[in-house]
Amino acid sequence: MKRFLTILLTTLALTGLLCVTASASSFDNAAEELATIGMLKGGADGFALDTVPTRGQAAIMLVRLYGAEQRAQDTYRSGRITCPFTDVNETTAPYVAWLADEGLANGTSETTFGAGDPCTARAYTIFLLRALGYQDKEDFTTAGAQNFAAELGLVDTSALHGGNFLRDDLVALTYQALATDMKDGKTYLLDHLIQDCELNVEGGEQLVEKVENYRAVTASGKSLQEGLSAKLSMSMAATVSTVAPGQTQPSGQVEQMEAAVEGEIKMLMKGNPQMALDLTVTADGESENVKMWLQGDWVYAQSGEETFKMEVGQEYADLLEASADKNNSAFSLLFVEDVDKKVSGDEVTYTMELNNGLENMVNGIFAQAFQAAGLSESMMGKMNVQAFTIRYVVKGGTLKSASADAAMSMTISEDETAGTAMLGLIMEMKMDVSASGSAVKISFPDFSGFEEVIGAADGPTSIFLASKLGQTAIMGPIAVAAYSYMSLVPIIQPP
């Protein structure tokens, strides 16, 4: 069970921070907040986030993102503009007419708009880019629109979970766009709508403050984009129990595991990413110093007298590429419930509470993993996040420290006859920035004597290293610490 727990935690650390849930409705909080500023309006059945959006619905949202809803309705009703398409109802006609008049949207033919047709992720992404001031052919191509948007931090969540583009995904893209810079760099979308388009945010003041604080947190990591050196500490306490089929209480002994990590981590993110970890880990009463390095296409590890190396696998490479992408974020605005700001002298502390989007995200990962393995729904895992808080201390506009407290539980069935494994987890993490930018230097030892791990690149790096080193109880906490640490660093998500 200890090995199962360690590998489970490691896998979550490797995949959970970068994936987005496949759930049909993950971003209810974002939908409710968009509604407070008039961006989204629900019907008798709510926001219908599990349905496919139509091109007509996307047109309405786009006009609101231009801050032109009232203008579109007034000019249409006055007869100054008309709708050139015959398949648009009277409710949608003012919006489509305004977009067509402004040259912002085309029809499916000279006489049809395709208002009832499904809106694709690419089409809506193009709409958003135009709202941010970008131009087709000048700034991006139709085929490359989504990749260009991703570089700006606008992630298509439907692509990440491999499903249809739903209203839930439309909400997610729109919500992310609010905190995104306009093309001219003078401001960001939500501020532009308020200042230049006179968007009425009465009732949505909390969202405005949240976006402003979020952008301040992410901006604090700008100087860390090139390099970062920090002291790291983490403690983790876990309990594991098994509930027999048909029972609700644990059957048998409840296993406990405690681990602590102390040490230093360095990262150079410009060009080819490099990393060095020097950590002392205590788990199950045993302490050991473990070192890991990333240089070129290889990961190296040393535990005691044993040394190993392996080529970087695709999963690990994707993680590093995403981490090096300055606009990617483990904890994007989508997962943030609130950001509180407190000023003390020349220091500002931002406290970020995460919403249930994180919980939905991990449960979506469980669902995909079990479905891909052909396992039944009765065996599917479930996570519940009781609390997840991150605190950033910023001085002079630069991040100085970050800490996180998390409490969560999860259930998972190893097979249909063994019952359900129940895991409770409490983590506390802290990092203190000691150097950034060009001041960060990484020294590498002589790797000539490191034994190559064959075939390890086909799977999660830390699991294979853990297995080879025979230190699963030690390496699991290291993996959790390292990747959780990366998620704390706002260099991954500046505006």
Side-chain angles (χ1 to χ4, degrees):
M1 182 63 74
K2 289 278 182 73
R3 178 179 174 83
F4 169 74
L5 166 63
T6 302
I7 291 179
L8 173 62
L9 291 175
T10 306
T11 303
L12 285 175
L14 285 166
T15 60
L17 296 179
L18 296 177
C19 298
V20 178
T21 175
S23 169
S25 179
S26 299
F27 305 116
D28 307 78
N29 290 38
E32 292 172 1
E33 291 190 83
L34 288 176
T36 65
I37 57 174
M39 287 284 171
L40 189 68
K41 296 179 181 177
D45 298 326
F47 299 116
L49 299 181
D50 58 348
T51 63
V52 175
T54 65
R55 282 173 53 86
Q57 292 170 343
I60 293 173
M61 182 71 85
L62 180 60
V63 171
R64 290 173 181 161
L65 283 170
Y66 274 94
E69 182 169 25
Q70 192 61 50
R71 196 185 335 153
Q73 292 178 347
D74 291 345
T75 52
Y76 178 77
R77 288 167 183 162
S78 68
R80 282 177 284 167
I81 60 173
T82 59
C83 185
F85 308 112
T86 59
D87 63 341
V88 178
N89 62 33
E90 194 58 29
T91 300
T92 311
Y95 302 90
V96 174
W98 186 85
L99 290 172
D101 187 65
E102 295 288 327
L104 296 171
N106 302 317
T108 54
S109 72
E110 290 186 2
T111 59
T112 60
F113 182 72
D117 295 343
C119 177
T120 65
R122 177 183 293 176
Y124 192 69
T125 299
I126 292 174
F127 286 164
L128 283 179
L129 290 174
R130 291 170 181 166
L132 291 167
Y134 294 97
Q135 300 296 318
D136 311 47
K137 298 181 181 178
E138 177 184 328
D139 299 304
F140 63 90
T141 63
T142 299
Q146 287 167 282
N147 287 336
F148 180 77
E151 293 175 2
L152 302 175
L154 300 176
V155 179
D156 170 21
T157 53
S158 71
L160 292 174
H161 65 60
N164 295 325
F165 185 68
L166 304 177
R167 280 173 60 89
D168 195 51
D169 304 303
L170 179 147
V171 163
L173 274 170
T174 306
Y175 194 75
Q176 294 172 71
L178 294 181
T180 302
D181 282 344
M182 300 294 292
K183 178 185 175 180
D184 61 15
K186 295 179 180 178
T187 186
Y188 57 98
L189 182 58
L190 181 57
D191 186 63
H192 165 70
L193 293 173
I194 295 171
Q195 303 300 331
D196 301 330
C197 303
E198 299 181 355
L199 175 70
N200 183 4
V201 293
E202 184 177 353
E205 295 88 352
Q206 184 175 351
L207 172 59
V208 175
E209 182 179 5
K210 171 177 155 180
V211 171
E212 290 177 349
N213 288 340
Y214 174 83
R215 282 177 55 85
V217 170
T218 58
S220 71
K222 274 193 172 182
S223 65
L224 311 180
Q225 290 174 21
E226 182 178 340
L228 173 64
S229 176
K231 301 292 185 181
L232 171 69
S233 63
M234 186 201 87
S235 64
M236 178 177 69
T239 58
V240 182
S241 58
T242 302
V243 177
Q247 302 297 314
T248 58
Q249 297 298 320
S251 52
Q253 184 177 358
V254 176
E255 294 193 53
Q256 296 182 336
M257 173 182 172
E258 293 186 359
V261 178
E262 297 282 346
E264 185 176 20
I265 182 169
K266 296 181 179 181
M267 294 191 296
L268 292 173
M269 305 307 294
K270 289 244 177 175
N272 295 322
Q274 298 180 11
M275 184 169 64
L277 287 79
D278 187 348
L279 303 174
T280 297
V281 184
T282 302
D284 291 342
E286 299 180 22
S287 294
E288 185 155 354
N289 177 256
V290 179
K291 298 178 181 180
M292 292 179 67
W293 301 268
L294 169 69
Q295 185 181 48
D297 295 329
W298 292 84
V299 173
Y300 304 87
Q302 178 177 348
S303 177
E305 298 298 320
E306 297 187 90
T307 57
F308 299 95
K309 68 177 181 179
M310 57 167 285
E311 283 192 278
V312 175
Q314 189 59 48
E315 182 175 330
Y316 201 81
D318 290 345
L319 174 69
L320 291 168
E321 181 180 355
S323 298
D325 180 354
K326 65 180 181 180
N327 291 304
N328 197 355
S329 168
F331 295 129
S332 75
L333 185 63
L334 282 171
F335 302 130
V336 178
E337 177 70 23
D338 191 24
V339 186
D340 179 63
K341 174 182 177 182
K342 292 194 182 304
V343 180
S344 178
D346 59 352
E347 288 189 348
V348 183
T349 300
Y350 296 93
T351 303
M352 182 183 296
E353 301 285 348
L354 301 189
N355 59 31
N356 61 4
L358 177 67
E359 180 180 305
N360 292 338
M361 174 188 71
V362 176
N363 287 332
I365 296 168
F366 270 125
Q368 293 176 68
F370 274 72
Q371 290 166 3
L375 301 175
S376 67
E377 290 187 9
S378 63
M379 297 172 61
M380 197 164 294
K382 178 75 174 177
M383 168 176 271
N384 177 255
V385 178
Q386 286 86 33
F388 208 130
T389 302
I390 307 175
R391 294 177 182 85
Y392 298 94
V393 177
V394 177
K395 186 175 181 178
T398 301
L399 179 71
K400 293 302 179 183
S401 68
S403 60
D405 303 310
M408 59 192 74
S409 61
M410 61 184 78
T411 60
I412 187 169
S413 297
E414 296 186 65
D415 59 58
E416 293 180 330
T417 61
T420 302
M422 301 179 65
L423 167 68
L425 180 64
I426 297 177
M427 285 199 304
E428 295 182 359
M429 294 176 287
K430 174 74 182 294
M431 74 165 192
D432 294 303
V433 178
S434 52
S436 61
S438 59
V440 179
K441 307 295 181 184
I442 297 180
S443 298
F444 296 100
D446 180 7
F447 296 126
S448 59
F450 282 57
E451 176 187 350
E452 182 175 353
V453 180
I454 305 299
D458 295 329
T461 301
S462 293
I463 292 178
F464 278 91
L465 286 173
S467 177
K468 187 67 178 175
L469 291 168
Q471 297 289 341
T472 53
I474 295 291
M475 295 298 291
I478 288 179
V480 173
Y483 295 113
S484 298
Y485 162 83
M486 286 183 180
S487 74
L488 286 177
V489 183
I491 61 170
I492 305 174
Q493 54 179 14

